[in-house]
Amino acid sequence: MMNCCGLITVQKEPVPLQSIEVELEVKDHVATVVSTLKYQNKEDKPVEAVFVFPLPGDAAVCHFSAVIGQKEIVAEVKEKQEAREEYDDSLSSGQQAFLLEESEQSPDIFSMKVGGLAPGESASIRLEYVTELAVQADDGLRFCLPAVLNPRYQPQGSEGASVQVFSVPASLVPYTLCFCGRLFSPRPICKVESSCSLEPLQYLNTDQTQATVKLAAGHKFDRDVELVIYYKDAHQPTAVVEAGQTSAETGTLMGDPVVMVSLYPEFPQSVMSSVASCGEFVFLMDRSGSMGSSMNSKERHQTCIMSDRDTLLLLLKSLPMGCYFNIYSFGYNYEHIFPQSVEYNQKTMEEALKKVEEMEANLGGTEILKPLKHIYSQRCIPNQPQQLFVFIDGGVVNTKKVLCLVKKNSSCHSCFSFGIGEGASSALINGLAKEGGGHAQFITGTDRMQPKVIQSLRFALQPAVEDISVTWGLPKGVSVTVLSPPITSIFQGQRSLIYGQLTGQGAASTDATDGCVTVRCSLPGQPLEMKLVFSVRPAVDTGLTVHRLAACTLIRSLEMEDREQQHGGMKEKVVQLSVQSGVSSSFTAFIAVNKADGKVIQGPLVRRNIQLTVENKKNDNSVFFPKTNMVISASSLDVIGCKEATAPKQPPRDPLLQLVSLQKASGCWILDPDLAAALGKTSEEVTSEVWATILALIWLHGFKMDAKEEWELLAMKAASWLRAQNGRNLIHKFYLFTPQAVSRNFWMPIKAN
């Protein structure tokens, strides 16, 4: 694995960023993040500092200010070109200026320019954003402070020239990071997990609804700061009504109350116990050069592509008979195992697995748009809803084009996305799932890919939910304008968020009047209704967090509509909303100019690129953001003091995967010496397919219960096969040998009668 790297200029000049302090505040499932970046110019000439950095893709940047001496300068949101011209004009006239702008290509990349730092002068930059926390499949709420910025692949023929950037080990990044967080929840906080070392969780009250969390000393810039927060009884629907801004005009989004409704569907057990037996499952695998790197520092022998192969094995063994499938892989170009999706059976499964074993990280860059276009061009299979699984470890320049394509085809498929390793683009991973009506997962640190992917397969195999509708019941004189896109998919346990602007004379009333929102949909054989009653009375002292999240949601929807229409019709609306709400967009920027002291900066400014942790992705030839001067070329990345490690000997295969590899597509295990060896038995003790299957199931239940989420689907398929063999008595016998009857230290031999 290559060391994570920072950015440095060719001459290796000093850079003026000294430290970053991050304060996190989490209230239920909403996070507010305040970052303070401290600069000092230690040179004998004025400088312009440029800092390119990642943020969560769905973050609403809502504040940008600078403190010079005792003077605070608060930035305004303006149309992007206007802000750039004002910045340039200010520097030309000798004034200090600060510019913060979002990439036009991907909403998770920002650039900040600190212009006009005089020799010896210090500046403190304050950046604030709010973001929703995504619900993981294990019910945890994921917060990620991106610290690693992977190079973004730019498709051939894209405009823009690359800027030469050199890399150094992450340990040499000169600035420090201080991170602390405060957690508030209406329900007890059970635990907080992280890919980074944390100090022990400190509770602030006896009911454990408030707590603080801090990074342990010695944190290095080699990974994102990821927290997963677990609440007790997390799946509780909630609604918050936030009062409008008193200085804003009534009738505008910021002037009216806004409601945020959070719903968690609970399906009947009769529905959840059934698994779909149809569907077209398409797996799109990243095989760019960077997938040859290690999954994490503790298991260097396990590369990302090796984990992909193991994951595909489990996926293919878990598919139901009667479905269709295909596997695509991509780099500069793309490949597919079959010309079009084929019916899942023993022959096609074996053919696919043979090709999977040959997969290597040898396809170069990360061109995902071409294979997606090909997949969507294929004929839909009647009565086989398409489920697309996308695996990627980095990002691309054309994120918004990719998401636009997925949304355009969202009516005919669901998209489940997986970000592999540090620095995977949150805008791309979350956007694929959001626009494709699926679910996103991130595999970082020591996470195993297989359980998370199988959890998403469970979502894909849930019964199809149709005819989704949302209705409101509000007090007289109050109406609602829904700001969120329509709900197109519902999964068991997955949160659905709805933002609405409340208008009318009764909307801002202090009277405690109730309203309700009802979501109705159809499940196989029965309707489902979710209803939440809430007080329309605005909450006290909630700030403008909900308004900003609602504004961000509406801005992203309008930007997507603008790209779909391809004539720029939404730009004016986006700029107006962005300026009014103070929330960033791809068409606006934050601009601050120090006009107070009247000082003029003498002499030309020298540009200094700020070092940032960047993971060197070999063979990707990656660049990013030509239209905003934010470009990195992986071909120009120079690794100092790093050599590729010699490939270690292949470790023995995991016993679970060895057993799974011997299962047939139908669900059974056959008479095979390899199976007997995997079970620790002799061939004489495994004398029929029925008993071979039962023995395999007993082994799974007796020795691999800690990995149950990985094999449960294929075990269900095996049990169904046994029932089809008139094996109900055998099924009964099987359960006598589950862990309740057989300890892990006693493997009871069983012989057929």
Side-chain angles (χ1 to χ4, degrees):
M1 176 179 173
M2 310 306 293
N3 282 355
C4 296
C5 305
L7 305 182
I8 194 168
T9 58
V10 177
Q11 292 80 16
K12 299 184 176 63
E13 305 100 333
V15 292
L17 181 58
Q18 290 185 305
S19 66
I20 301 178
E21 296 179 2
V22 178
E23 296 179 5
L24 166 69
E25 182 179 270
V26 175
K27 291 185 176 180
D28 202 2
H29 61 267
V30 173
T32 301
V33 184
V34 178
S35 297
T36 303
L37 300 94
K38 295 182 179 180
Y39 295 82
Q40 183 180 19
N41 181 10
K42 295 184 178 181
E43 301 188 48
D44 58 0
K45 58 181 77 70
V47 300
E48 177 190 29
V50 181
F51 190 29
V52 179
F53 58 97
L55 286 180
D58 53 0
V61 178
C62 54
H63 178 88
F64 180 56
S65 61
V67 175
I68 308 293
Q70 302 299 313
K71 174 67 176 177
E72 181 182 23
I73 311 152
V74 179
E76 300 177 76
V77 179
K78 296 186 178 182
E79 191 276 328
K80 183 173 284 187
Q81 188 57 38
E82 178 186 351
R84 289 175 177 174
E85 291 174 359
E86 183 176 347
Y87 175 82
D88 291 339
D89 291 343
S90 299
L91 296 189
S92 298
S93 61
Q95 294 177 312
Q96 290 176 325
F98 308 86
L99 182 71
L100 176 72
E101 61 180 70
E102 173 188 316
S103 163
E104 294 174 8
Q105 302 294 327
S106 185
D108 62 344
I109 300 294
F110 283 75
S111 71
M112 178 165 55
K113 295 181 179 179
V114 180
L117 276 183
E121 191 169 45
S122 298
S124 180
I125 308 299
R126 188 174 186 270
L127 171 70
E128 180 178 341
Y129 66 86
V130 293
T131 184
E132 303 161 359
L133 301 186
V135 182
Q136 301 301 284
D138 63 354
D139 299 339
L141 294 173
R142 180 181 184 267
F143 166 78
C144 182
L145 176 69
V148 175
L149 175 58
N150 288 343
R152 301 296 171 87
Y153 174 75
Q154 179 175 336
Q156 295 181 359
S158 299
E159 297 178 358
S162 63
V163 173
Q164 197 170 38
V165 179
F166 288 82
S167 60
V168 296
S171 59
L172 298 184
V173 175
Y175 50 84
T176 60
L177 171 67
C178 177
F179 176 90
C180 62
R182 290 173 62 90
L183 314 178
F184 302 87
S185 171
R187 297 169 296 279
I189 302 163
C190 298
K191 61 179 178 177
V192 177
E193 295 180 348
S194 178
S195 58
C196 307
S197 296
L198 301 176
E199 293 184 3
L201 189 67
Q202 298 291 322
Y203 289 105
L204 303 179
N205 56 2
T206 55
D207 58 5
Q208 299 186 340
T209 58
Q210 299 180 24
T212 59
V213 61
K214 293 182 179 180
L215 280 178
H219 174 74
K220 298 184 182 299
F221 286 88
D222 59 352
R223 71 195 73 177
D224 297 339
V225 178
E226 181 184 56
L227 302 179
V228 183
I229 305 166
Y230 295 88
Y231 298 138
K232 183 179 179 181
D233 300 325
H235 287 193
Q236 297 297 318
T238 58
V240 175
V241 179
E242 185 178 79
Q245 193 173 19
T246 55
S247 59
E249 183 180 349
T250 302
T252 64
L253 187 151
M254 299 304 291
D256 289 338
V258 170
V259 59
M260 176 177 65
V261 178
S262 177
L263 297 171
Y264 290 89
E266 291 290 340
F267 293 172
Q269 183 58 38
S270 59
V271 174
M272 290 306 299
S273 60
S274 63
V275 175
S277 59
C278 63
E280 179 191 5
F281 297 87
V282 179
F283 306 108
L284 180 57
M285 317 301 295
D286 186 352
R287 283 176 58 192
S288 59
S290 56
M291 289 291 290
S293 60
S294 299
M295 284 290 292
N296 58 70
S297 59
K298 292 184 179 180
E299 298 181 6
R300 293 186 179 274
H301 67 274
Q302 179 79 351
T303 63
C304 296
I305 194 67
M306 290 168 62
S307 187
D308 266 5
R309 293 197 296 260
D310 292 344
T311 300
L312 280 172
L313 169 65
L314 280 169
L315 282 169
L316 290 179
K317 296 291 183 174
S318 301
L319 291 179
M321 294 293 286
C323 74
Y324 286 73
F325 79 103
N326 203 351
I327 300 174
Y328 288 74
S329 53
F330 66 96
Y332 287 132
N333 299 304
Y334 65 91
E335 300 175 357
H336 44 68
I337 292 182
F338 305 105
Q340 58 188 29
S341 294
V342 296
E343 186 174 357
Y344 175 75
N345 54 41
Q346 184 64 26
K347 180 177 179 296
T348 55
M349 185 191 74
E350 286 181 348
E351 184 176 350
L353 285 174
K354 184 177 179 181
K355 296 288 183 64
V356 166
E357 285 298 315
E358 299 170 354
M359 284 186 176
E360 298 292 345
N362 57 1
L363 294 186
T366 313
E367 175 54 88
I368 192 174
L369 197 59
K370 289 180 181 178
L372 281 174
K373 287 181 177 179
H374 178 82
I375 290 169
Y376 293 140
S377 70
Q378 297 294 296
R379 176 181 59 86
C380 292
I381 303 174
N383 302 316
Q384 301 286 347
Q386 189 179 82
Q387 314 284 356
L388 176 62
F389 286 64
V390 179
F391 299 77
I392 188 169
D393 78 331
V396 291
V397 167
N398 54 349
T399 295
K400 293 183 179 180
K401 282 187 177 180
V402 172
L403 300 185
C404 190
L405 177 66
V406 172
K407 183 180 180 182
K408 183 179 178 181
N409 293 274
S410 60
S411 61
C412 60
H413 83 301
S414 296
C415 184
F416 299 85
S417 53
F418 305 90
I420 304 169
E422 309 295 337
S425 168
S426 64
L428 179 61
I429 305 305
N430 287 325
L432 287 168
K434 181 178 180 180
E435 302 301 341
H439 189 263
Q441 300 254 31
F442 290 84
I443 297 99
T444 59
T446 57
D447 288 347
R448 280 175 53 81
M449 186 187 300
Q450 291 82 10
K452 292 195 172 187
V453 174
I454 295 299
Q455 284 170 338
S456 291
L457 179 60
R458 275 192 162 279
F459 281 151
L461 290 171
Q462 284 182 13
V465 178
E466 299 176 339
D467 304 324
I468 302 172
S469 65
V470 179
T471 57
W472 297 78
L474 298 171
K476 186 177 180 180
V478 180
S479 59
V480 63
T481 301
V482 178
L483 307 174
S484 307
I487 299 175
T488 58
S489 63
I490 295 178
F491 299 109
Q492 165 76 17
Q494 186 181 24
R495 184 179 64 216
S496 297
L497 275 176
I498 306 173
Y499 293 97
Q501 178 182 345
L502 301 178
T503 57
Q505 294 183 350
S509 173
T510 57
D511 297 334
T513 313
D514 287 344
C516 71
V517 60
T518 304
V519 178
R520 295 182 177 89
C521 59
S522 297
L523 291 166
Q526 58 184 302
L528 178 66
E529 180 177 295
M530 295 169 283
K531 185 176 183 179
L532 176 64
V533 178
F534 61 93
S535 173
V536 180
R537 181 178 182 178
V540 180
D541 297 330
T542 57
L544 293 171
T545 301
V546 173
H547 280 73
R548 288 164 175 162
L549 288 172
C552 183
T553 297
L554 184 55
I555 284 170
R556 298 303 182 210
S557 296
L558 292 173
E559 288 175 337
M560 180 65 74
E561 188 176 343
D562 183 78
R563 290 190 292 276
E564 290 177 328
Q565 293 178 352
Q566 296 183 345
H567 55 63
M570 293 293 111
K571 179 178 178 179
E572 185 177 344
K573 289 184 179 180
V574 171
V575 171
Q576 182 181 11
L577 179 59
S578 177
V579 171
Q580 178 199 108
S581 63
V583 171
S584 62
S585 76
S586 60
F587 299 131
T588 54
F590 284 88
I591 174 69
V593 179
N594 185 8
K595 303 177 182 179
D597 55 17
K599 293 182 181 179
V600 177
I601 304 299
Q602 302 293 333
L605 297 183
V606 179
R607 173 170 288 199
R608 293 290 182 256
N609 292 327
I610 306 303
Q611 294 177 342
L612 174 69
T613 303
V614 175
E615 189 161 2
N616 183 28
K617 298 290 187 178
K618 293 194 71 178
N619 303 323
D620 277 8
N621 288 348
S622 308
V623 296
F624 61 95
F625 316 119
K627 294 186 179 179
T628 56
N629 273 337
M630 296 184 283
V631 186
I632 294 178
S633 172
S635 61
S636 66
L637 287 177
D638 179 55
V639 179
I640 299 178
C642 298
K643 292 185 179 180
E644 249 184 290
T646 304
K649 293 182 179 180
Q650 291 292 333
R653 193 166 201 178
D654 178 85
L656 171 61
L657 296 176
Q658 179 65 23
L659 179 69
V660 168
S661 68
L662 299 171
Q663 188 187 29
K664 293 297 183 180
S666 62
C668 74
W669 275 266
I670 63 168
L671 304 174
D672 191 301
D674 291 337
L675 175 65
L679 294 173
K681 313 302 292 178
T682 66
S683 298
E684 290 75 19
E685 293 174 311
V686 184
T687 57
S688 74
E689 290 183 356
V690 168
W691 277 109
T693 303
I694 289 179
L695 286 173
L697 290 173
I698 293 174
W699 188 89
L700 290 172
H701 280 80
F703 295 93
K704 287 295 178 179
M705 284 300 291
D706 57 339
K708 184 179 178 181
E709 65 269 27
E710 298 182 37
W711 53 258
E712 190 170 23
L713 285 175
L714 60 88
M716 290 171 61
K717 188 163 64 168
S720 296
W721 180 86
L722 284 172
R723 292 189 188 96
Q725 313 308 308
N726 296 319
R728 292 190 180 276
N729 290 333
L730 293 174
I731 290 287
H732 174 71
K733 290 181 181 179
F734 157 64
Y735 283 111
L736 295 178
F737 292 95
T738 57
Q740 289 76 17
V742 181
S743 73
R744 289 171 180 256
N745 297 320
F746 180 68
W747 177 225
M748 181 179 292
I750 304 174
K751 295 184 180 180
N753 293 329

